[in-house]
Amino acid sequence: MEVYDYIVVGAGSSGCVVARRLSDDPQARVLLIEAGGDMDDFWVHTPAGMAKLFASQRFNWRFKTAPVPTLGGRQVQWDRGKGLGGCSAVNGMIYMRGQPEDYEQWARAGNAGWGWDDVLPYFKRSENNARGASAFHGDQGPLSVTDPVEVHPAAEDFLAACANAGIPRSADLNAPPHPAAGLRQYTIRGGRRHSAYQAFIEPVRQRRNLSILTGAHATRVLLENGEAAGVEVQHGGRRRSLLAAREVVLSGGALASPQILMLSGIGDAAQLQRHGIALQRELPGVGRNLQDHWYASFAWRVIPGSSVNHRLSGLRKYLEGARYLLTRTGYLALGAAPVTAYVNSEEGGRADLQLSFNAMSFSATPSGEVAADGYPGISASVVLLTPASRGHMELASSDPLQAPLFHPNYLSHASDVRRHVAGMRRLRKIIQTPPLGLRVVEEVKPGPAAASDEQLLDYLKRFGGTAWHPVGTCKMGHDDQAVVDARLRVQGVRRLRVIDASIMPTIPTGNTNAPCIMLGEKGADMLREDALPARAVAA
């Protein structure tokens, strides 16, 4: 038997932070477990290489949802990082925190210590922001947060069009107020992706008190007398038991952490019984409260000089590649859509839409990769940030190596439909507003034929996509659906916590990577503050 003080399951955006901060104490023996492997690869490190990762079996779990009735039975691919760094190693590298109201909402739901003023110091702690320290940012943390290396004139015209449409320009989208439009920041360092693993673990990987086990699929939490005693993993073709003297932390994300709880006998009694799993602790909320961001993508043909498509296709793409290799600049050094606007769908409401713009347009190839279109094009998307729709996930079987069933229930709430269609109309209006509108030749996707609300909704259902932000499946709270308390402890099970996106009661109004890193920072502090005496463990 191998014994550690803390076992952290999942080396993603939260788990890497937890393991790093716990191992800052040289007396704490920390084990970080990851089901995937190393992610040291050119296309992982290259920001624009994210398009190559959609079809990757090596670096991407490539989950699929169950058929979604509200989308006409479509199955949606849910890309999730498979290896050290988790989703931070395959995502668009966007550093967005959401709005202060997101966290105030968590606190109002009875989660003490989770308001905006409570979480802001943890966002700042992790950051090494290229803009320097301020009331909203830090510059001493491990995680590099930088501005885009290049902004196309058409992107600047998008911001000017937003201003002409009544959406003011913001110098910092990670600070109030909203609505606002501006440049995004990215987790990019020196023209290379800066994942949670690279930021938090790689610099300290040689610590004697930090162990990392890759290729190890957690199969269940080991429980003794109502408390977590360790973790069972499938590794190298055999089962291994790893023991924790202090606590076990699940940081597998909103899809894996609830699955591990269920496999351990923690969850809805009826569901566990169906799969022959002995009930250890009834928590019917495990796997419920699933939330995600859904978006619609638009594309327009534009006049020459208004798009970078020509730089990313044909022989020119090799010149762009050489430029990146020599200088770590250019479009291969950019993350997803460098400018965006946060707007409200309804008069007087809070900012609930994200309108993101790119001076290129792209389509999926038959292999599943994404490539620039052959014409001069621009694209933009509408993301509904505060969905009212709720889904759930459940076990497909008691086999821990079989993916669960995901039921996202997109667009099942009438307000989501109404607000999303309103956002699509608002995006169209902004794109046609000068000065950007002077560049537009015609709308290609969905095209002028999609004019009525019904036609726009049909397009949203048939061609919309996930923003890959699933959260909420082990929610924090005090009601009968809560899984963890405000200290992130699993209800009724000692020495077991969940620290990842699954604990979010409601989804943040932005990308989820930065909030997950914040959760890791705050959760690690809680582990230290609540330090339990070590269990007597016979190794």
Side-chain angles (χ1 to χ4, degrees):
M1 292 289 186
E2 300 171 49
V3 183
Y4 303 86
D5 289 302
Y6 299 97
I7 296 178
V8 182
V9 180
S13 298
S14 300
C16 283
V17 181
V18 173
R20 162 66 181 272
R21 296 308 189 189
L22 290 176
S23 70
D24 286 345
D25 175 2
Q27 303 304 313
R29 299 162 299 169
V30 181
L31 172 64
L32 178 61
I33 298 172
E34 170 55 42
D38 201 307
M39 299 189 80
D40 187 10
D41 180 84
F42 175 80
W43 290 115
V44 171
H45 297 315
T46 303
M50 58 187 170
K52 299 276 189 183
L53 303 177
F54 293 124
S56 172
Q57 297 283 356
R58 177 183 171 190
F59 300 123
N60 187 346
W61 287 106
R62 303 185 80 235
F63 292 125
K64 280 190 178 292
T65 68
V68 184
T70 50
L71 302 181
R74 279 181 64 191
Q75 286 185 276
V76 180
Q77 180 169 311
W78 275 2
D79 297 297
R80 312 303 294 164
K82 186 180 184 180
L84 294 171
C87 290
S88 71
V90 299
N91 66 3
M93 293 147 287
I94 297 164
Y95 184 84
M96 288 299 304
R97 301 169 174 173
Q99 302 169 46
E101 173 60 19
D102 300 335
Y103 305 99
E104 293 300 311
Q105 188 176 357
W106 292 8
R108 283 197 303 271
N111 297 301
W114 288 95
W116 173 246
D117 290 340
D118 301 307
V119 302
L120 179 58
Y122 292 102
F123 279 116
K124 293 171 66 175
R125 176 194 286 181
S126 64
E127 271 188 292
N128 183 353
N129 198 297
R131 299 178 184 178
S134 69
F136 293 101
H137 294 285
D139 64 355
Q140 299 298 311
L143 182 70
S144 288
V145 178
T146 56
D147 292 305
V149 294
E150 185 171 330
V151 180
H152 192 274
E156 290 288 354
D157 284 354
F158 173 79
L159 296 177
C162 286
N164 289 335
I167 307 163
R169 181 161 182 168
S170 169
D172 184 3
L173 289 175
N174 278 309
H178 296 92
L183 295 177
R184 285 169 156 168
Q185 288 195 295
Y186 296 98
T187 52
I188 294 175
R189 180 181 182 183
R192 288 161 59 95
R193 175 191 295 275
H194 207 218
S195 70
Y197 170 77
Q198 292 166 321
F200 289 90
I201 297 296
E202 193 172 57
V204 300
R205 185 160 183 173
Q206 299 308 313
R207 283 178 173 171
R208 296 182 64 182
N209 67 324
L210 175 62
S211 300
I212 300 170
L213 183 64
T214 58
H217 202 115
T219 57
R220 64 186 175 110
V221 177
L222 300 172
L223 300 171
E224 290 181 6
N225 302 317
E227 63 181 24
V231 177
E232 181 185 80
V233 299
Q234 181 89 7
H235 182 248
R238 65 187 181 93
R239 294 284 175 95
R240 296 172 60 185
S241 293
L242 308 166
L243 302 185
R246 295 188 184 275
E247 294 202 46
V248 172
V249 179
L250 299 184
S251 295
L255 307 186
S257 287
Q259 181 188 23
I260 295 170
L261 287 178
M262 293 176 195
L263 293 169
S264 309
I266 302 169
D268 177 72
Q271 182 184 164
L272 299 181
Q273 184 179 29
R274 285 198 301 273
H275 296 289
I277 299 172
L279 179 67
Q280 301 292 331
R281 169 67 178 171
E282 183 162 18
L283 288 176
V286 174
R288 312 297 299 184
N289 193 47
L290 176 61
Q291 300 159 60
D292 189 21
H293 287 144
W294 190 252
Y295 75 93
S297 184
F298 284 61
W300 294 263
R301 186 184 299 271
V302 290
I303 62 175
S306 302
S307 169
V308 298
N309 282 5
H310 67 291
R311 287 171 55 177
L312 300 174
S313 57
L315 292 177
R316 288 179 180 267
K317 70 181 179 183
Y318 298 106
L319 295 176
E320 195 69 22
R323 178 187 181 190
Y324 175 74
L325 290 173
L326 291 171
T327 68
R328 291 286 188 259
T329 62
Y331 273 80
L332 293 185
L334 281 176
V339 295
T340 197
Y342 288 86
V343 303
N344 51 332
S345 63
E346 299 173 327
E347 194 67 33
R350 65 179 298 210
D352 61 351
L353 298 169
Q354 183 187 75
L355 312 181
S356 299
F357 176 86
N358 212 335
M360 67 172 289
S361 63
F362 38 84
S363 300
T365 66
S367 68
E369 294 185 9
V370 175
D373 290 321
Y375 58 85
I378 59 174
S379 58
S381 61
V382 184
V383 182
L384 180 65
L385 297 172
T386 58
S389 301
R390 296 290 184 269
H392 72 281
M393 57 166 290
E394 60 182 331
L395 293 179
S397 80
S398 59
D399 179 359
L401 302 184
Q402 184 173 345
L405 298 172
F406 307 115
H407 305 279
N409 220 16
Y410 294 118
L411 301 174
S412 58
H413 197 285
S415 75
D416 290 0
V417 172
R418 182 184 69 251
R419 292 181 295 139
H420 219 141
V421 169
M424 295 167 80
R425 293 196 179 282
R426 186 150 194 200
L427 176 62
R428 274 178 163 171
K429 186 174 181 180
I430 290 171
I431 296 296
Q432 295 297 336
T433 299
L436 183 60
L438 302 178
R439 297 179 180 270
V440 174
V441 176
E442 62 177 343
E443 183 178 294
V444 178
K445 300 175 186 176
S452 68
D453 287 358
E454 292 74 19
Q455 289 166 327
L456 288 172
L457 176 59
D458 179 66
Y459 178 77
L460 182 62
K461 289 181 175 181
R462 290 196 296 131
F463 299 105
T466 171
W468 301 289
H469 298 159
V471 307
T473 48
C474 298
K475 85 166 190 173
M476 173 174 59
H478 304 281
D479 61 23
D480 60 0
Q481 293 294 301
V483 177
V484 301
D485 63 16
R487 303 295 291 180
L488 308 185
R489 298 171 296 205
V490 174
Q491 309 268 9
V493 183
R494 293 187 75 237
R495 301 185 186 271
L496 179 60
R497 301 195 200 218
V498 180
I499 305 178
D500 59 30
S502 68
I503 68 93
M504 297 179 182
T506 51
I507 194 167
T509 53
N511 305 75
T512 51
N513 187 51
C516 285
I517 290 170
M518 176 276 291
L519 287 174
E521 293 277 19
K522 188 169 173 62
D525 262 13
M526 290 176 170
L527 284 159
R528 289 192 295 257
E529 291 162 2
D530 301 344
L532 296 172
R535 297 168 55 250
V537 178

